[in-house]
PDB file of all heavy atoms in Angstrom:
ATOM      1  N   SER Z  55       0.846  -1.184   0.000  1.00  0.00           N
ATOM      2  CA  SER Z  55       0.000   0.000   0.000  1.00  0.00           C
ATOM      3  C   SER Z  55       0.887   1.242   0.000  1.00  0.00           C
ATOM      4  O   SER Z  55       2.097   1.156   0.225  1.00  0.00           O
ATOM      5  CB  SER Z  55      -0.944   0.010   1.210  1.00  0.00           C
ATOM      6  OG  SER Z  55      -0.212   0.002   2.421  1.00  0.00           O
ATOM      7  N   ARG Z  56       0.283   2.410  -0.255  1.00  0.00           N
ATOM      8  CA  ARG Z  56       1.067   3.637  -0.306  1.00  0.00           C
ATOM      9  C   ARG Z  56       0.255   4.820   0.181  1.00  0.00           C
ATOM     10  O   ARG Z  56      -0.978   4.790   0.194  1.00  0.00           O
ATOM     11  CB  ARG Z  56       1.575   3.900  -1.731  1.00  0.00           C
ATOM     12  CG  ARG Z  56       0.472   4.176  -2.746  1.00  0.00           C
ATOM     13  CD  ARG Z  56       1.040   4.235  -4.163  1.00  0.00           C
ATOM     14  NE  ARG Z  56       1.896   5.398  -4.361  1.00  0.00           N
ATOM     15  CZ  ARG Z  56       2.652   5.593  -5.446  1.00  0.00           C
ATOM     16  NH1 ARG Z  56       2.679   4.678  -6.409  1.00  0.00           N
ATOM     17  NH2 ARG Z  56       3.393   6.696  -5.547  1.00  0.00           N
ATOM     18  N   ASP Z  57       0.968   5.865   0.572  1.00  0.00           N
ATOM     19  CA  ASP Z  57       0.377   7.132   0.973  1.00  0.00           C
ATOM     20  C   ASP Z  57       1.028   8.192   0.099  1.00  0.00           C
ATOM     21  O   ASP Z  57       2.168   8.592   0.345  1.00  0.00           O
ATOM     22  CB  ASP Z  57       0.620   7.403   2.454  1.00  0.00           C
ATOM     23  CG  ASP Z  57      -0.100   8.640   2.954  1.00  0.00           C
ATOM     24  OD1 ASP Z  57      -0.342   9.566   2.160  1.00  0.00           O
ATOM     25  OD2 ASP Z  57      -0.422   8.691   4.160  1.00  0.00           O
ATOM     26  N   ASN Z  58       0.321   8.636  -0.929  1.00  0.00           N
ATOM     27  CA  ASN Z  58       0.893   9.585  -1.884  1.00  0.00           C
ATOM     28  C   ASN Z  58       1.230  10.929  -1.235  1.00  0.00           C
ATOM     29  O   ASN Z  58       2.209  11.574  -1.604  1.00  0.00           O
ATOM     30  CB  ASN Z  58      -0.067   9.809  -3.052  1.00  0.00           C
ATOM     31  CG  ASN Z  58      -0.201   8.596  -3.936  1.00  0.00           C
ATOM     32  OD1 ASN Z  58       0.655   7.711  -3.941  1.00  0.00           O
ATOM     33  ND2 ASN Z  58      -1.283   8.536  -4.708  1.00  0.00           N
ATOM     34  N   ALA Z  59       0.422  11.365  -0.280  1.00  0.00           N
ATOM     35  CA  ALA Z  59       0.655  12.642   0.379  1.00  0.00           C
ATOM     36  C   ALA Z  59       1.950  12.641   1.183  1.00  0.00           C
ATOM     37  O   ALA Z  59       2.591  13.679   1.333  1.00  0.00           O
ATOM     38  CB  ALA Z  59      -0.522  12.998   1.279  1.00  0.00           C
ATOM     39  N   LYS Z  60       2.336  11.472   1.713  1.00  0.00           N
ATOM     40  CA  LYS Z  60       3.539  11.350   2.527  1.00  0.00           C
ATOM     41  C   LYS Z  60       4.720  10.753   1.766  1.00  0.00           C
ATOM     42  O   LYS Z  60       5.802  10.608   2.335  1.00  0.00           O
ATOM     43  CB  LYS Z  60       3.264  10.503   3.760  1.00  0.00           C
ATOM     44  CG  LYS Z  60       2.240  11.101   4.713  1.00  0.00           C
ATOM     45  CD  LYS Z  60       2.039  10.207   5.928  1.00  0.00           C
ATOM     46  CE  LYS Z  60       1.049  10.808   6.898  1.00  0.00           C
ATOM     47  NZ  LYS Z  60       0.842   9.933   8.083  1.00  0.00           N
ATOM     48  N   ASN Z  61       4.518  10.380   0.502  1.00  0.00           N
ATOM     49  CA  ASN Z  61       5.551   9.714  -0.301  1.00  0.00           C
ATOM     50  C   ASN Z  61       6.088   8.474   0.406  1.00  0.00           C
ATOM     51  O   ASN Z  61       7.299   8.265   0.514  1.00  0.00           O
ATOM     52  CB  ASN Z  61       6.697  10.677  -0.624  1.00  0.00           C
ATOM     53  CG  ASN Z  61       6.309  11.742  -1.626  1.00  0.00           C
ATOM     54  OD1 ASN Z  61       5.433  11.535  -2.465  1.00  0.00           O
ATOM     55  ND2 ASN Z  61       6.964  12.890  -1.551  1.00  0.00           N
ATOM     56  N   MET Z  62       5.166   7.637   0.892  1.00  0.00           N
ATOM     57  CA  MET Z  62       5.543   6.421   1.600  1.00  0.00           C
ATOM     58  C   MET Z  62       4.885   5.197   0.980  1.00  0.00           C
ATOM     59  O   MET Z  62       3.805   5.290   0.385  1.00  0.00           O
ATOM     60  CB  MET Z  62       5.165   6.508   3.076  1.00  0.00           C
ATOM     61  CG  MET Z  62       5.903   7.583   3.847  1.00  0.00           C
ATOM     62  SD  MET Z  62       5.692   7.457   5.642  1.00  0.00           S
ATOM     63  CE  MET Z  62       6.623   5.953   5.977  1.00  0.00           C
ATOM     64  N   VAL Z  63       5.546   4.059   1.119  1.00  0.00           N
ATOM     65  CA  VAL Z  63       5.016   2.776   0.688  1.00  0.00           C
ATOM     66  C   VAL Z  63       5.217   1.778   1.815  1.00  0.00           C
ATOM     67  O   VAL Z  63       6.207   1.852   2.553  1.00  0.00           O
ATOM     68  CB  VAL Z  63       5.680   2.292  -0.620  1.00  0.00           C
ATOM     69  CG1 VAL Z  63       7.175   2.050  -0.424  1.00  0.00           C
ATOM     70  CG2 VAL Z  63       4.991   1.047  -1.146  1.00  0.00           C
ATOM     71  N   TYR Z  64       4.280   0.835   1.956  1.00  0.00           N
ATOM     72  CA  TYR Z  64       4.295  -0.131   3.040  1.00  0.00           C
ATOM     73  C   TYR Z  64       4.166  -1.545   2.486  1.00  0.00           C
ATOM     74  O   TYR Z  64       3.632  -1.763   1.401  1.00  0.00           O
ATOM     75  CB  TYR Z  64       3.144   0.124   4.019  1.00  0.00           C
ATOM     76  CG  TYR Z  64       3.043   1.546   4.483  1.00  0.00           C
ATOM     77  CD1 TYR Z  64       2.255   2.471   3.800  1.00  0.00           C
ATOM     78  CD2 TYR Z  64       3.733   1.981   5.616  1.00  0.00           C
ATOM     79  CE1 TYR Z  64       2.163   3.780   4.219  1.00  0.00           C
ATOM     80  CE2 TYR Z  64       3.647   3.287   6.047  1.00  0.00           C
ATOM     81  CZ  TYR Z  64       2.855   4.185   5.345  1.00  0.00           C
ATOM     82  OH  TYR Z  64       2.770   5.486   5.772  1.00  0.00           O
ATOM     83  N   LEU Z  65       4.640  -2.506   3.266  1.00  0.00           N
ATOM     84  CA  LEU Z  65       4.462  -3.914   2.932  1.00  0.00           C
ATOM     85  C   LEU Z  65       4.054  -4.655   4.194  1.00  0.00           C
ATOM     86  O   LEU Z  65       4.867  -4.832   5.101  1.00  0.00           O
ATOM     87  CB  LEU Z  65       5.745  -4.520   2.358  1.00  0.00           C
ATOM     88  CG  LEU Z  65       5.622  -5.958   1.852  1.00  0.00           C
ATOM     89  CD1 LEU Z  65       4.728  -6.005   0.612  1.00  0.00           C
ATOM     90  CD2 LEU Z  65       6.990  -6.545   1.531  1.00  0.00           C
ATOM     91  N   GLN Z  66       2.789  -5.066   4.259  1.00  0.00           N
ATOM     92  CA  GLN Z  66       2.291  -5.872   5.364  1.00  0.00           C
ATOM     93  C   GLN Z  66       2.529  -7.332   5.031  1.00  0.00           C
ATOM     94  O   GLN Z  66       2.019  -7.831   4.030  1.00  0.00           O
ATOM     95  CB  GLN Z  66       0.799  -5.615   5.592  1.00  0.00           C
ATOM     96  CG  GLN Z  66       0.186  -6.449   6.706  1.00  0.00           C
ATOM     97  CD  GLN Z  66       0.739  -6.103   8.067  1.00  0.00           C
ATOM     98  OE1 GLN Z  66       0.860  -4.931   8.411  1.00  0.00           O
ATOM     99  NE2 GLN Z  66       1.094  -7.116   8.845  1.00  0.00           N
ATOM    100  N   MET Z  67       3.300  -8.024   5.865  1.00  0.00           N
ATOM    101  CA  MET Z  67       3.677  -9.404   5.620  1.00  0.00           C
ATOM    102  C   MET Z  67       3.060 -10.286   6.702  1.00  0.00           C
ATOM    103  O   MET Z  67       3.395 -10.156   7.881  1.00  0.00           O
ATOM    104  CB  MET Z  67       5.199  -9.560   5.603  1.00  0.00           C
ATOM    105  CG  MET Z  67       5.895  -8.655   4.593  1.00  0.00           C
ATOM    106  SD  MET Z  67       7.681  -8.948   4.495  1.00  0.00           S
ATOM    107  CE  MET Z  67       8.171  -8.422   6.142  1.00  0.00           C
ATOM    108  N   ASN Z  68       2.177 -11.188   6.307  1.00  0.00           N
ATOM    109  CA  ASN Z  68       1.517 -12.120   7.217  1.00  0.00           C
ATOM    110  C   ASN Z  68       1.886 -13.556   6.862  1.00  0.00           C
ATOM    111  O   ASN Z  68       2.356 -13.835   5.766  1.00  0.00           O
ATOM    112  CB  ASN Z  68      -0.003 -11.958   7.159  1.00  0.00           C
ATOM    113  CG  ASN Z  68      -0.471 -10.585   7.564  1.00  0.00           C
ATOM    114  OD1 ASN Z  68       0.113  -9.940   8.437  1.00  0.00           O
ATOM    115  ND2 ASN Z  68      -1.566 -10.125   6.946  1.00  0.00           N
ATOM    116  N   SER Z  69       1.650 -14.460   7.796  1.00  0.00           N
ATOM    117  CA  SER Z  69       1.930 -15.888   7.591  1.00  0.00           C
ATOM    118  C   SER Z  69       3.337 -16.103   7.051  1.00  0.00           C
ATOM    119  O   SER Z  69       3.555 -16.834   6.083  1.00  0.00           O
ATOM    120  CB  SER Z  69       0.893 -16.500   6.641  1.00  0.00           C
ATOM    121  OG  SER Z  69      -0.419 -16.349   7.149  1.00  0.00           O
ATOM    122  N   LEU Z  70       4.303 -15.483   7.680  1.00  0.00           N
ATOM    123  CA  LEU Z  70       5.680 -15.524   7.193  1.00  0.00           C
ATOM    124  C   LEU Z  70       6.267 -16.932   7.266  1.00  0.00           C
ATOM    125  O   LEU Z  70       5.985 -17.695   8.192  1.00  0.00           O
ATOM    126  CB  LEU Z  70       6.543 -14.553   7.982  1.00  0.00           C
ATOM    127  CG  LEU Z  70       6.365 -13.085   7.590  1.00  0.00           C
ATOM    128  CD1 LEU Z  70       6.902 -12.167   8.673  1.00  0.00           C
ATOM    129  CD2 LEU Z  70       7.072 -12.808   6.268  1.00  0.00           C
ATOM    130  N   LYS Z  71       7.087 -17.241   6.273  1.00  0.00           N
ATOM    131  CA  LYS Z  71       7.762 -18.526   6.165  1.00  0.00           C
ATOM    132  C   LYS Z  71       9.270 -18.317   6.216  1.00  0.00           C
ATOM    133  O   LYS Z  71       9.764 -17.223   5.949  1.00  0.00           O
ATOM    134  CB  LYS Z  71       7.390 -19.224   4.851  1.00  0.00           C
ATOM    135  CG  LYS Z  71       5.905 -19.367   4.598  1.00  0.00           C
ATOM    136  CD  LYS Z  71       5.651 -19.916   3.204  1.00  0.00           C
ATOM    137  CE  LYS Z  71       4.173 -20.040   2.911  1.00  0.00           C
ATOM    138  NZ  LYS Z  71       3.927 -20.552   1.539  1.00  0.00           N
ATOM    139  N   ALA Z  72       9.998 -19.374   6.517  1.00  0.00           N
ATOM    140  CA  ALA Z  72      11.451 -19.295   6.561  1.00  0.00           C
ATOM    141  C   ALA Z  72      12.022 -18.842   5.217  1.00  0.00           C
ATOM    142  O   ALA Z  72      13.032 -18.127   5.172  1.00  0.00           O
ATOM    143  CB  ALA Z  72      12.048 -20.647   6.957  1.00  0.00           C
ATOM    144  N   GLU Z  73      11.379 -19.230   4.120  1.00  0.00           N
ATOM    145  CA  GLU Z  73      11.842 -18.857   2.792  1.00  0.00           C
ATOM    146  C   GLU Z  73      11.668 -17.374   2.488  1.00  0.00           C
ATOM    147  O   GLU Z  73      12.168 -16.892   1.478  1.00  0.00           O
ATOM    148  CB  GLU Z  73      11.122 -19.693   1.724  1.00  0.00           C
ATOM    149  CG  GLU Z  73       9.620 -19.468   1.679  1.00  0.00           C
ATOM    150  CD  GLU Z  73       8.893 -20.527   0.863  1.00  0.00           C
ATOM    151  OE1 GLU Z  73       9.051 -21.722   1.186  1.00  0.00           O
ATOM    152  OE2 GLU Z  73       8.186 -20.157  -0.089  1.00  0.00           O
ATOM    153  N   ASP Z  74      10.957 -16.640   3.347  1.00  0.00           N
ATOM    154  CA  ASP Z  74      10.817 -15.195   3.183  1.00  0.00           C
ATOM    155  C   ASP Z  74      12.030 -14.440   3.726  1.00  0.00           C
ATOM    156  O   ASP Z  74      12.119 -13.219   3.551  1.00  0.00           O
ATOM    157  CB  ASP Z  74       9.558 -14.685   3.881  1.00  0.00           C
ATOM    158  CG  ASP Z  74       8.286 -15.221   3.256  1.00  0.00           C
ATOM    159  OD1 ASP Z  74       8.200 -15.262   2.012  1.00  0.00           O
ATOM    160  OD2 ASP Z  74       7.365 -15.599   4.015  1.00  0.00           O
ATOM    161  N   THR Z  75      12.937 -15.125   4.398  1.00  0.00           N
ATOM    162  CA  THR Z  75      14.127 -14.492   4.950  1.00  0.00           C
ATOM    163  C   THR Z  75      14.962 -13.866   3.835  1.00  0.00           C
ATOM    164  O   THR Z  75      15.353 -14.544   2.885  1.00  0.00           O
ATOM    165  CB  THR Z  75      14.975 -15.508   5.726  1.00  0.00           C
ATOM    166  OG1 THR Z  75      14.239 -15.993   6.850  1.00  0.00           O
ATOM    167  CG2 THR Z  75      16.266 -14.865   6.217  1.00  0.00           C
ATOM    168  N   ALA Z  76      15.223 -12.567   3.947  1.00  0.00           N
ATOM    169  CA  ALA Z  76      15.953 -11.841   2.919  1.00  0.00           C
ATOM    170  C   ALA Z  76      16.142 -10.394   3.355  1.00  0.00           C
ATOM    171  O   ALA Z  76      15.548  -9.943   4.338  1.00  0.00           O
ATOM    172  CB  ALA Z  76      15.195 -11.879   1.590  1.00  0.00           C
ATOM    173  N   VAL Z  77      16.976  -9.675   2.617  1.00  0.00           N
ATOM    174  CA  VAL Z  77      17.039  -8.228   2.738  1.00  0.00           C
ATOM    175  C   VAL Z  77      15.996  -7.652   1.798  1.00  0.00           C
ATOM    176  O   VAL Z  77      15.986  -7.978   0.612  1.00  0.00           O
ATOM    177  CB  VAL Z  77      18.432  -7.678   2.399  1.00  0.00           C
ATOM    178  CG1 VAL Z  77      18.432  -6.153   2.437  1.00  0.00           C
ATOM    179  CG2 VAL Z  77      19.473  -8.232   3.361  1.00  0.00           C
ATOM    180  N   TYR Z  78      15.118  -6.817   2.318  1.00  0.00           N
ATOM    181  CA  TYR Z  78      14.046  -6.231   1.535  1.00  0.00           C
ATOM    182  C   TYR Z  78      14.409  -4.793   1.164  1.00  0.00           C
ATOM    183  O   TYR Z  78      14.778  -3.994   2.024  1.00  0.00           O
ATOM    184  CB  TYR Z  78      12.728  -6.264   2.313  1.00  0.00           C
ATOM    185  CG  TYR Z  78      12.110  -7.638   2.364  1.00  0.00           C
ATOM    186  CD1 TYR Z  78      12.686  -8.649   3.119  1.00  0.00           C
ATOM    187  CD2 TYR Z  78      10.961  -7.929   1.630  1.00  0.00           C
ATOM    188  CE1 TYR Z  78      12.142  -9.920   3.147  1.00  0.00           C
ATOM    189  CE2 TYR Z  78      10.402  -9.191   1.655  1.00  0.00           C
ATOM    190  CZ  TYR Z  78      10.999 -10.182   2.413  1.00  0.00           C
ATOM    191  OH  TYR Z  78      10.438 -11.443   2.439  1.00  0.00           O
ATOM    192  N   TYR Z  79      14.274  -4.474  -0.132  1.00  0.00           N
ATOM    193  CA  TYR Z  79      14.657  -3.171  -0.661  1.00  0.00           C
ATOM    194  C   TYR Z  79      13.441  -2.417  -1.183  1.00  0.00           C
ATOM    195  O   TYR Z  79      12.586  -2.989  -1.863  1.00  0.00           O
ATOM    196  CB  TYR Z  79      15.656  -3.314  -1.810  1.00  0.00           C
ATOM    197  CG  TYR Z  79      16.972  -3.932  -1.417  1.00  0.00           C
ATOM    198  CD1 TYR Z  79      17.168  -5.308  -1.489  1.00  0.00           C
ATOM    199  CD2 TYR Z  79      18.032  -3.136  -0.985  1.00  0.00           C
ATOM    200  CE1 TYR Z  79      18.372  -5.881  -1.135  1.00  0.00           C
ATOM    201  CE2 TYR Z  79      19.237  -3.696  -0.632  1.00  0.00           C
ATOM    202  CZ  TYR Z  79      19.405  -5.069  -0.711  1.00  0.00           C
ATOM    203  OH  TYR Z  79      20.610  -5.631  -0.364  1.00  0.00           O
ATOM    204  N   CYS Z  80      13.391  -1.133  -0.896  1.00  0.00           N
ATOM    205  CA  CYS Z  80      12.364  -0.249  -1.416  1.00  0.00           C
ATOM    206  C   CYS Z  80      12.831   0.354  -2.735  1.00  0.00           C
ATOM    207  O   CYS Z  80      14.007   0.691  -2.890  1.00  0.00           O
ATOM    208  CB  CYS Z  80      12.080   0.857  -0.400  1.00  0.00           C
ATOM    209  SG  CYS Z  80      10.853   2.074  -0.908  1.00  0.00           S
ATOM    210  N   ASN Z  81      11.914   0.486  -3.691  1.00  0.00           N
ATOM    211  CA  ASN Z  81      12.222   1.052  -5.001  1.00  0.00           C
ATOM    212  C   ASN Z  81      11.153   2.059  -5.398  1.00  0.00           C
ATOM    213  O   ASN Z  81       9.977   1.872  -5.094  1.00  0.00           O
ATOM    214  CB  ASN Z  81      12.305  -0.062  -6.049  1.00  0.00           C
ATOM    215  CG  ASN Z  81      12.412   0.464  -7.462  1.00  0.00           C
ATOM    216  OD1 ASN Z  81      11.426   0.504  -8.197  1.00  0.00           O
ATOM    217  ND2 ASN Z  81      13.606   0.880  -7.845  1.00  0.00           N
ATOM    218  N   ALA Z  82      11.567   3.130  -6.081  1.00  0.00           N
ATOM    219  CA  ALA Z  82      10.610   4.123  -6.552  1.00  0.00           C
ATOM    220  C   ALA Z  82      11.079   4.766  -7.843  1.00  0.00           C
ATOM    221  O   ALA Z  82      12.271   5.057  -8.004  1.00  0.00           O
ATOM    222  CB  ALA Z  82      10.390   5.206  -5.496  1.00  0.00           C
ATOM    223  N   ASP Z  83      10.142   4.969  -8.771  1.00  0.00           N
ATOM    224  CA  ASP Z  83      10.357   5.780  -9.965  1.00  0.00           C
ATOM    225  C   ASP Z  83       9.736   7.139  -9.682  1.00  0.00           C
ATOM    226  O   ASP Z  83       8.552   7.216  -9.364  1.00  0.00           O
ATOM    227  CB  ASP Z  83       9.696   5.159 -11.190  1.00  0.00           C
ATOM    228  CG  ASP Z  83      10.296   3.818 -11.555  1.00  0.00           C
ATOM    229  OD1 ASP Z  83      11.525   3.660 -11.410  1.00  0.00           O
ATOM    230  OD2 ASP Z  83       9.537   2.929 -12.000  1.00  0.00           O
ATOM    231  N   LEU Z  84      10.523   8.209  -9.795  1.00  0.00           N
ATOM    232  CA  LEU Z  84      10.017   9.515  -9.426  1.00  0.00           C
ATOM    233  C   LEU Z  84      10.600  10.622 -10.282  1.00  0.00           C
ATOM    234  O   LEU Z  84      11.583  10.430 -10.997  1.00  0.00           O
ATOM    235  CB  LEU Z  84      10.289   9.795  -7.939  1.00  0.00           C
ATOM    236  CG  LEU Z  84      11.723   9.684  -7.428  1.00  0.00           C
ATOM    237  CD1 LEU Z  84      12.496  10.975  -7.694  1.00  0.00           C
ATOM    238  CD2 LEU Z  84      11.722   9.374  -5.943  1.00  0.00           C
ATOM    239  N   ILE Z  85       9.973  11.788 -10.201  1.00  0.00           N
ATOM    240  CA  ILE Z  85      10.414  12.985 -10.910  1.00  0.00           C
ATOM    241  C   ILE Z  85      10.912  13.994  -9.892  1.00  0.00           C
ATOM    242  O   ILE Z  85      10.173  14.383  -8.982  1.00  0.00           O
ATOM    243  CB  ILE Z  85       9.275  13.600 -11.742  1.00  0.00           C
ATOM    244  CG1 ILE Z  85       8.714  12.574 -12.729  1.00  0.00           C
ATOM    245  CG2 ILE Z  85       9.762  14.837 -12.486  1.00  0.00           C
ATOM    246  CD1 ILE Z  85       7.482  13.056 -13.468  1.00  0.00           C
ATOM    247  N   GLN Z  86      12.154  14.425 -10.024  1.00  0.00           N
ATOM    248  CA  GLN Z  86      12.715  15.444  -9.150  1.00  0.00           C
ATOM    249  C   GLN Z  86      12.353  16.840  -9.649  1.00  0.00           C
ATOM    250  O   GLN Z  86      12.088  17.036 -10.838  1.00  0.00           O
ATOM    251  CB  GLN Z  86      14.241  15.335  -9.096  1.00  0.00           C
ATOM    252  CG  GLN Z  86      14.764  14.047  -8.532  1.00  0.00           C
ATOM    253  CD  GLN Z  86      16.268  14.047  -8.466  1.00  0.00           C
ATOM    254  OE1 GLN Z  86      16.866  14.533  -7.495  1.00  0.00           O
ATOM    255  NE2 GLN Z  86      16.904  13.518  -9.496  1.00  0.00           N
TER     256      GLN Z  86
END
């Protein structure tokens, strides 16, 4: 999900498994 007014993005992760173990990176395409 995202909040455009705050320029934020979220990831709610439920029912996590061992295979979900990782470094998670945020990415954005934007105009400066």
Side-chain angles (χ1 to χ4, degrees):
S55 60
R56 65 188 292 171
D57 186 332
N58 291 340
K60 297 181 179 180
N61 289 332
M62 296 191 69
V63 63
Y64 310 91
L65 186 68
Q66 178 66 46
M67 304 185 294
N68 299 326
S69 301
L70 283 162
K71 307 173 181 179
E73 63 194 56
D74 295 317
T75 296
V77 176
Y78 285 70
Y79 297 91
C80 178
N81 171 260
D83 296 323
L84 55 83
I85 303 173
Q86 298 182 85

